[in-house]
Amino acid sequence: MVGALARLNLNYDKLSSSAKKVAEMFQLKPVCYNPFMNSIAQLVEVVHSVDDSIRLIDEAGSCRLKTQIGVQ
């Protein structure tokens, strides 16, 4: 099994809190073998990816600011 549902089954504990809330909204819990829930698993992945992107942007911004003011 490969794809969003398999990744969710293996890595549910590593999801962001927002992604877990979306999964709960659709009663998606690991381990799920229902192939019709793959689209929901993809949605959960997108929410997690957006959260991770925001985190990375925030980190990059703080590093750039520290470099500009000479703090290490």
Side-chain angles (χ1 to χ4, degrees), residues 11-44:
N11 299 303
Y12 184 85
D13 57 322
K14 297 177 184 174
L15 290 175
S16 66
S17 60
S18 300
K20 285 182 181 178
K21 286 179 187 176
V22 171
E24 289 173 13
M25 283 177 26
F26 292 97
Q27 290 88 37
L28 178 60
K29 299 175 185 169
V31 170
C32 177
Y33 296 109
N34 182 351
F36 296 107
M37 294 298 278
N38 190 63
S39 296
I40 304 303
Q42 290 174 331
L43 173 64
V44 171

